[in-house]
Structures are given as structure tokens and as C-alpha cells.
């Protein structure tokens, strides 16, 4: 059973690298689908969905820790 749980965890990690990003997107799409569809917006529905997703992605990218740059001369110096 432990092996099956580990395999399923690896399978999920192939598609979901950042759990907070995935959860935030699911919350936004659910909120948009349930609440914002009740408002008469006409042709603005698509752009509002896109802008919300773009803001979520930008905020998630801004919060990400910096990655070490490849080839900065520190690896293997010795």
C-alpha cells in the first residue's frame, strides 16, 4: 500500500509542482464560475478570467525563491 501511495504521489508531482499555485487557480476558477457568471458582463468574461489567472501566475512567480544561476563560477571551484 505504501508503494501505491508513493507512485500516486510521484504521478501528481509530475503535473502539480507548486501546490499553492494549483490551489489558487482552482479557487479562482471556482469563484469565477459560481459568482462572476451571475453578473452581466457580456464580452468581458474571457478577459476577466485571463487577467485573474495572469495575476495569480505573476504573484506566484514573484514569491518564488531565487534559483542559483548556472555558470556563475562557484561550482567546482577548489
Amino acid at each position: 500500500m505504501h508503494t501505491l501511495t508513493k507512485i500516486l504521489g510521484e504521478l501528481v508531482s509530475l503535473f502539480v509542482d507548486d501546490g499553492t499555485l494549483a490551489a489558487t487557480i482552482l479557487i479562482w476558477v471556482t469563484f469565477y464560475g459560481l459568482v462572476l457568471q451571475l453578473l452581466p458582463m457580456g464580452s468581458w468574461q474571457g478577459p476577466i478570467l485571463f487577467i485573474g489567472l495572469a495575476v495569480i501566475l505573476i504573484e506566484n512567480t514573484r514569491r518564488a525563491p531565487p534559483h542559483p544561476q548556472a555558470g556563475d563560477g562557484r561550482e567546482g571551484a577548489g
Side-chain angles (χ1 to χ4, degrees):
M1 188 64 178
H2 179 68
T3 305
L4 182 61
T5 306
K6 189 173 181 178
I7 290 171
L8 288 175
E10 289 291 323
L11 184 63
V12 168
S13 70
L14 286 174
F15 300 101
V16 180
D17 187 30
D18 186 0
T20 58
L21 176 63
T24 308
I25 289 172
L26 287 174
I27 290 169
W28 170 247
V29 170
T30 302
F31 174 78
Y32 180 81
L34 295 176
V35 176
L36 295 180
Q37 292 294 328
L38 299 175
L39 302 174
M41 291 183 281
S43 64
W44 285 97
Q45 292 176 351
I48 290 175
L49 178 63
F50 174 77
I51 289 169
L53 292 172
V55 168
I56 290 169
L57 180 61
I58 290 168
E59 176 59 25
N60 187 271
T61 303
R62 197 176 67 72
R63 285 187 292 119
H67 294 285
Q69 303 226 351
D72 63 357
R74 292 189 212 168
E75 309 88 31

